[in-house]
Amino acid sequence: MHIETAVNLRAWNTFGLPATAQTLVHIDEEADVRRVVDHPEFGPAPKFILGGGSNIVLARDVTACVLKVEIPGLRIVEERADAVIVEAGAGESWHRLVAWTIEQGLGGLENLALIPGTVGAAPVQNIGAYGLELADRFDSLDGVDLVTGRGFTLDRRLCRFGYRDSVFKHELAGKSVITRVRFRLPRPWQPVLGYLDLLRKIEETGVTHPDARQIFDWVCAIRRAKLPDPAVIGNAGSFFKNPVVTPEQCRDIIARDPHVVHYPMDDGSFKLAAGWLIDACGWKGKSVGGAAVYEKQALVLVNRGEARGAEVITLARAIQESVYGRFGIRLEPEPIVVG
């Protein structure tokens, strides 16, 4: 195993927040996880699983043994009449996987282009964007139990996916490492175009029947226009989940604020645009220390250069209180807060 001590994690989290890991183990293959489990020191110690660091806020040093998952690999597992099954190592870049499927002539993941992070972290969060969630294309995943060292495979039902949620945030939190993930890309391919920004692209371009690559390009352009590049401005993407409310709650909010952005859900509830709620409360561009609300998208909190985790948390809590005071809605953070 490749083991490091006293590792500065600033470069390992997209927010660029300062924190130190006492011990960091690079996981390059499934066998490395078993070596950690069998290790006399690391085996019994608490574990912290780190992928691309795109969904965490580090508010303190990490005393748990950090497992940096870097397992590579992209391949087509099976081609069937109704679907193509593709597999990716947990350490692969999520966007690289999406771009690779497009290069292979396989549609299905294009709406999820440019989401930062690794493939192994994607099921934990059940990532989603532009009308599609990972769960919609998920087939199964492999992992290793951090107590027994035994491998396991979970299907969609056992992952218990919810809105930005999964079993890995609950019963399996810190107790397992995802090593490989498989996706089911349906045949025939059907575009997912219900999201407002994509409908605008159709109107702007006149392309009424886009293929998967066209949608991929559109999503990349939309995200680049709206969201800051973590390599330039530290951030963790969308900081808050879009709240889901009852029809009665939605009608009440619309009565007070007719311009609130909202989307109907299949179960009759409504999803509200958290960024709109934050912007309506006047937070866009405001800051606490080095942490700020991004000027182009109020849903994103950014590091202006020397922010600390405590400043990000203070800013986030102030936003939550403000939105609750005006709309009666409690915003829930997407990133995992360490400390």
Side-chain angles (χ1 to χ4, degrees):
M1 292 185 294
H2 178 197
I3 303 169
E4 295 183 87
T5 57
V7 179
N8 186 343
L9 296 177
R10 187 189 292 272
W12 297 114
N13 73 100
T14 60
F15 233 124
L17 298 173
T20 299
Q22 292 183 3
T23 304
L24 186 145
V25 182
H26 295 267
I27 304 297
D28 298 316
E29 58 182 4
E30 188 174 292
D32 286 337
V33 184
R34 295 191 173 90
R35 293 183 183 107
V36 169
V37 174
D38 293 338
H39 194 279
E41 180 183 353
F42 305 146
K47 315 292 192 304
F48 180 78
I49 316 304
L50 181 61
S54 62
N55 197 47
I56 58 174
V57 176
L58 297 174
R60 58 168 171 77
D61 292 339
V62 182
T63 56
C65 178
V66 177
L67 305 186
K68 181 73 172 64
V69 180
E70 300 170 346
I71 300 171
L74 297 168
R75 70 185 183 113
I76 296 174
V77 176
E78 183 182 3
E79 297 191 51
R80 306 197 303 251
D82 64 334
V84 177
I85 308 299
V86 300
E87 180 185 84
E92 288 285 353
S93 155
W94 172 263
H95 180 66
R96 180 168 182 260
L97 164 65
V98 178
W100 177 81
T101 61
I102 297 297
E103 291 165 3
Q104 304 302 310
L106 302 173
L109 297 178
E110 57 279 351
N111 292 57
L112 305 180
L114 265 191
I115 294 178
T118 58
V119 169
V124 178
Q125 182 75 354
N126 185 21
I127 59 172
Y130 301 102
L132 189 73
E133 288 188 338
L134 174 140
D136 299 324
R137 298 289 183 260
F138 182 80
D139 179 75
S140 59
L141 61 77
D142 298 333
V144 178
D145 188 295
L146 284 173
V147 176
T148 66
R150 295 174 183 169
F152 62 82
T153 298
L154 299 183
D155 60 14
R156 175 175 171 169
R157 180 183 63 83
L158 292 174
C159 286
R160 290 177 27 211
F161 291 122
Y163 175 52
R164 304 296 175 268
D165 198 21
S166 71
V167 70
F168 299 100
K169 286 191 170 184
H170 302 283
E171 289 90 337
L172 295 184
K175 297 178 182 177
S176 61
V177 175
I178 296 170
T179 55
R180 299 195 177 277
V181 187
R182 287 170 291 279
F183 302 91
R184 182 183 183 275
L185 308 183
R187 286 177 166 174
W189 171 81
Q190 293 290 330
V192 178
L193 296 170
Y195 203 85
L196 181 60
D197 282 345
L198 294 177
L199 295 176
R200 286 174 178 162
K201 283 292 185 182
I202 291 175
E203 293 178 2
E204 291 171 6
T205 63
V207 179
T208 57
H209 295 86
D211 59 17
R213 177 168 286 282
Q214 179 67 79
I215 297 172
F216 172 87
D217 290 340
W218 283 350
V219 169
C220 289
I222 292 166
R223 291 186 70 92
R224 287 185 175 119
K226 281 188 171 185
L227 305 173
D229 182 349
V232 180
I233 304 174
N235 72 91
S238 298
F239 197 91
F240 296 102
K241 298 179 183 180
N242 290 319
V244 177
V245 299
T246 65
E248 294 76 19
Q249 288 175 304
C250 191
R251 283 195 297 268
D252 179 62
I253 292 173
I254 290 173
R256 287 180 283 137
D257 292 272
H259 300 296
V260 63
V261 178
H262 59 286
Y263 305 94
M265 306 290 285
D266 292 339
D267 62 0
S269 62
F270 286 83
K271 184 182 291 185
L272 305 181
W276 187 94
L277 299 175
I278 297 166
D279 193 12
C281 291
W283 280 99
K284 191 177 285 185
K286 292 188 176 179
S287 61
V288 171
V293 180
Y294 191 48
E295 293 87 350
K296 295 182 181 180
Q297 171 54 271
L299 191 55
V300 178
L301 305 189
V302 297
N303 180 355
R304 287 300 181 199
E306 296 297 331
R308 303 188 68 83
E311 294 171 340
V312 175
I313 294 171
T314 299
L315 177 59
R317 287 175 177 167
I319 292 170
Q320 288 173 304
E321 291 173 5
S322 180
V323 170
Y324 181 75
R326 176 166 175 177
F327 297 103
I329 299 294
R330 296 191 184 278
L331 294 182
E332 183 179 349
E334 279 197 26
I336 296 169
V337 177
V338 181

